[in-house]
Amino acid sequence: MESFDYVIVGAGSAGSVLANRLSEDEKTTVCVLEAGPSDWHPFIHIPAGFMYTLVNPRVNWLYTSEPSEWTGGRRIAAPRGKTLGGSSSINGHIYNRGQRLDFDGWAQRGNLGWGYADVLPYFRRTERRMVAEADPTFRGSEGNLPITDLEWRDPLCEAFIEGAVQMGIPRNRDYNGSQQAGVSYVQRIIHNGRRVSAARGYLRPAMKRRNLTVRTHAHATNLIFEGKRAVGVRYLKGGRNGTPVEVRAAREVILSGGAVNTPQLLQISGVGPAALLQSLGIAVKHELAGVGENLRDHYAPRFVARVKGAQTINEKSHGLRLVGEVVKYAVARKGILALNPTLIYVFWKSDPNVDNYDLQFTFTPASYKEGVQSTLDDFPGMTIASWQQRPDSIGYVRAKSADPFTAPTIQPNYLAAESDRRVLLAGMKIARKLISSPPLQKYYEREEFPGVQAQSDEELMTAAKQRGTTTFHLMGTCRMAPDSDPTAVVDDQLRVRGLENLRVVDASIMPTMPSANLNASVLMIAEKAADMIRGKPALEAATLRD
């Protein structure tokens, strides 16, 4: 048995930030436990390698969600990173914060210190914005992670943007600045043609410090409690048949396993809904009804069109053209191997009368088999996805057994809320107009999916059932909320309610879904949490004009 001041479970985005910030204090000892391997695999660092990591069990938990009505009875993949850097080592590289109203909504729910003006300084602290014209009110210049603009340009992307502008959607130079709405090329956490995961940006620089210990292949099996006080973690070194090890935490245990693994570990450790734990034969150490509840995710159907008169990523990924792309990447770190899965973003409204931008669209000049981004299709194509930014449908994550190696039940209940279906349907109609806009007509051969025969609302929603899929944004399963909320798991200091020396710092604490991909917000949460844990005053709130 060993003892550290802090034991962090999970070396993903949040765990990497915490490891770096907490170990800045030379008098503090920190241990990070990661169930997966080191982030050595080259496909982690080559941007286009996401297609490999999405299906690789060595670096991915390869979870799947339960079937539901609006997935047509299909199980949907739920990839989660299982390596240093966690999901930041296998995701689509996107940097997207969301809207001001998202975080003001967190504060209005009773989470003090989590309004947009409060969190903006922490967003700035994470990033090194790599453009000269960045507005310092909103953007950081000295952070650990380089945020770059996509430099790729091709006729399809340019025509798509022009089509959006002709539909009344303005160009936006910085969707992470004062205003999200509009169309633009993506911002991404890629520098010099390589992924910059949280492990590369935060964890690896800190691993040079003597007071930081990082253990890979360390699968956490239980939290250790003395009464209501968390005092350590048990794990198996090397997997199911590995060596049992126990590490103690003199100050705190911090859970950063993400929206799936964190609630599962709490539940199998006896913290969660009493009825669930008792049904699994797990002794209830602390009843907390909200553990594993409030799960949300973005659900996106995709329109696919066959392309003529222009090269797409599909053609460039085969034969001699692919050889040329490999050489181009090896020599200059450019070409399709330096691309992320999404090249263009659109943020817009489902209805002109709504007060906020509730739709997100992504465009890429490629087509994928069954709409899944891990396998390119055989024909030249272009794809647009659309989704409801702040879904109302709520699901859950629940342990299936006391065995920590048994994957939990994941049920997002996609599109269960009527409001999600209404907004998504509006989004699908806009998506079809965008991908067939006049500037794209010279490249547009025909709609491959769902096909021109799908015209009615019912037919479009049937297509959503057939091909809709996750956008990999699971969150909310250890919700931050005041005591008055029966689903509250952590308070606004991210301390687990009713327990001592135990915090959760990851996407599971989000009260509601940001209008965005989640990685940027997770990095912000961890930066803010690090100051809380160290007892440092919060960064001064930003001064913003209404």
Side-chain angles (χ1 to χ4, degrees):
M1 185 179 68
E2 296 176 276
S3 181
F4 301 85
D5 290 312
Y6 299 101
V7 176
I8 301 169
V9 181
S13 294
S16 294
V17 173
L18 289 171
N20 185 302
R21 296 304 184 201
L22 297 181
S23 65
E24 285 176 339
D25 181 354
E26 296 179 354
K27 299 178 181 178
T28 297
T29 56
V30 181
C31 178
V32 181
L33 304 177
E34 169 55 48
S38 182
D39 57 338
W40 63 269
H41 202 291
F43 283 166
I44 289 175
H45 308 290
I46 298 171
F50 76 90
M51 297 181 69
Y52 174 83
T53 59
L54 278 181
V55 294
N56 182 357
R58 293 184 178 181
V59 297
N60 190 328
W61 290 94
L62 294 184
Y63 292 131
T64 58
S65 65
E66 296 297 304
S68 63
E69 177 185 0
W70 286 98
T71 65
R74 295 176 297 132
R75 292 182 178 272
I76 304 295
R80 301 286 92 190
K82 187 181 180 183
T83 182
L84 296 183
S87 293
S88 76
S89 289
I90 70 166
N91 67 7
H93 315 274
I94 296 299
Y95 187 80
N96 181 6
R97 295 177 179 175
Q99 299 176 35
R100 179 173 180 172
L101 63 85
D102 298 327
F103 306 101
D104 285 345
W106 291 9
Q108 289 163 6
R109 289 173 173 269
N111 300 298
L112 300 181
W114 290 92
Y116 181 67
D118 302 306
V119 303
L120 179 55
Y122 288 100
F123 275 120
R124 291 196 301 244
R125 191 160 86 176
T126 66
E127 70 167 2
R128 187 167 72 257
R129 182 73 173 117
M130 306 289 283
V131 295
E133 68 274 15
D135 183 347
T137 300
F138 297 96
R139 307 311 301 265
S141 59
E142 300 178 355
N144 292 56
L145 297 175
I147 310 302
T148 59
D149 287 338
L150 178 68
E151 297 176 353
W152 174 275
R153 298 292 183 269
D154 77 5
L156 288 166
C157 289
E158 292 293 306
F160 178 86
I161 291 175
E162 180 58 31
V165 170
Q166 290 184 14
M167 287 175 57
I169 301 172
R171 295 175 187 262
N172 186 344
R173 293 179 66 183
D174 186 2
Y175 58 79
N176 290 309
S178 61
Q179 176 65 256
Q180 186 189 60
V183 57
S184 70
Y185 284 97
V186 298
Q187 295 176 26
R188 57 203 202 138
I189 315 181
I190 292 174
H191 187 46
N192 292 330
R194 298 190 72 209
R195 177 194 296 273
V196 185
S197 67
R200 281 191 64 201
Y202 280 92
L203 186 61
R204 289 209 168 272
M207 287 171 67
K208 300 173 184 177
R209 301 170 185 156
R210 294 182 178 181
N211 60 333
L212 175 61
T213 299
V214 177
R215 300 211 168 129
T216 55
H217 301 286
H219 192 123
T221 58
N222 281 104
L223 303 177
I224 305 169
F225 292 97
E226 292 179 356
K228 296 292 184 178
R229 179 186 177 93
V231 297
V233 181
R234 294 188 184 95
Y235 69 91
L236 287 175
K237 181 176 177 58
R240 178 183 289 275
N241 299 315
T243 304
V245 183
E246 184 176 303
V247 287
R248 292 275 174 154
R251 296 187 185 178
E252 290 190 18
V253 174
I254 305 167
L255 305 184
S256 297
V260 176
N261 289 354
T262 287
Q264 181 191 23
L265 181 58
L266 284 168
Q267 290 168 1
I268 64 177
S269 300
V271 179
L276 171 66
L277 305 186
Q278 290 165 353
S279 72
L280 300 175
I282 299 170
V284 179
K285 292 186 172 67
H286 181 64
E287 183 172 8
L288 206 52
V291 174
E293 303 302 303
N294 192 48
L295 174 67
R296 300 177 199 233
D297 187 20
H298 291 132
Y299 184 77
R302 290 170 167 84
F303 281 84
V304 182
R306 185 179 288 263
V307 168
K308 63 180 180 180
Q311 279 194 4
T312 70
I313 293 173
N314 298 77
E315 298 103 297
K316 295 178 181 181
S317 300
H318 294 93
L320 290 177
R321 288 174 179 164
L322 178 58
V323 173
E325 293 293 334
V326 171
V327 172
K328 188 185 300 183
Y329 183 79
V331 172
R333 294 288 188 266
K334 295 184 180 297
I336 64 171
L337 296 185
L339 294 179
N340 34 287
T342 293
L343 303 190
I344 294 175
Y345 266 136
V346 177
F347 302 96
W348 205 238
K349 295 182 178 184
S350 62
D351 186 294
N353 297 315
V354 301
D355 293 331
N356 55 67
Y357 295 91
D358 55 357
L359 284 171
Q360 185 172 157
F361 303 86
T362 63
F363 174 82
T364 191
S367 58
Y368 301 92
K369 290 184 183 294
E370 299 296 320
V372 179
Q373 289 177 305
S374 59
T375 309
L376 286 164
D377 216 323
D378 300 324
F379 63 87
M382 53 186 175
T383 301
I384 185 170
S386 59
W387 62 85
Q388 146 78 307
Q389 293 234 71
R390 291 173 293 279
D392 295 317
S393 302
I394 298 174
Y396 53 83
V397 170
R398 295 172 185 165
K400 289 180 182 176
S401 79
D403 179 4
F405 291 90
T406 298
T409 297
I410 303 171
Q411 178 53 278
N413 285 322
Y414 292 119
L415 303 185
E418 186 278 333
S419 56
D420 289 352
R421 300 194 295 274
R422 174 170 38 83
V423 173
L424 181 65
L425 181 61
M428 294 178 74
K429 292 177 180 179
I430 294 171
R432 176 175 264 169
K433 291 179 181 178
L434 283 166
I435 203 171
S436 60
S437 68
L440 276 170
Q441 280 302 309
K442 63 181 177 180
Y443 307 115
Y444 183 94
E445 183 171 336
R446 65 174 180 269
E447 184 177 291
E448 289 286 341
F449 185 85
V452 293
Q453 71 278 3
Q455 293 295 327
S456 69
D457 291 357
E458 182 179 358
E459 288 165 339
L460 288 175
M461 292 309 293
T462 296
K465 278 187 177 183
Q466 291 173 337
R467 287 268 193 104
T469 187
T470 179
T471 59
F472 319 114
H473 304 155
L474 302 175
M475 48 69 66
T477 50
C478 292
R479 187 180 202 168
M480 173 174 61
D483 281 332
S484 57
D485 188 330
T487 66
V489 176
V490 300
D491 64 12
D492 54 25
Q493 297 292 301
L494 309 189
R495 299 170 297 203
V496 177
R497 294 190 173 276
L499 296 172
E500 299 176 27
N501 295 353
L502 182 62
R503 291 191 212 230
V504 175
V505 183
D506 57 30
S508 68
I509 67 95
M510 295 180 179
T512 56
M513 175 74 82
S515 310
N517 312 55
L518 299 187
N519 190 236
S521 292
V522 171
L523 295 164
M524 173 275 292
I525 289 167
E527 285 277 17
K528 185 171 174 61
D531 280 353
M532 293 175 176
I533 294 166
R534 296 179 66 180
K536 299 178 67 174
L539 296 179
E540 183 179 353
T543 300
L544 300 168
R545 285 175 286 182
D546 293 332

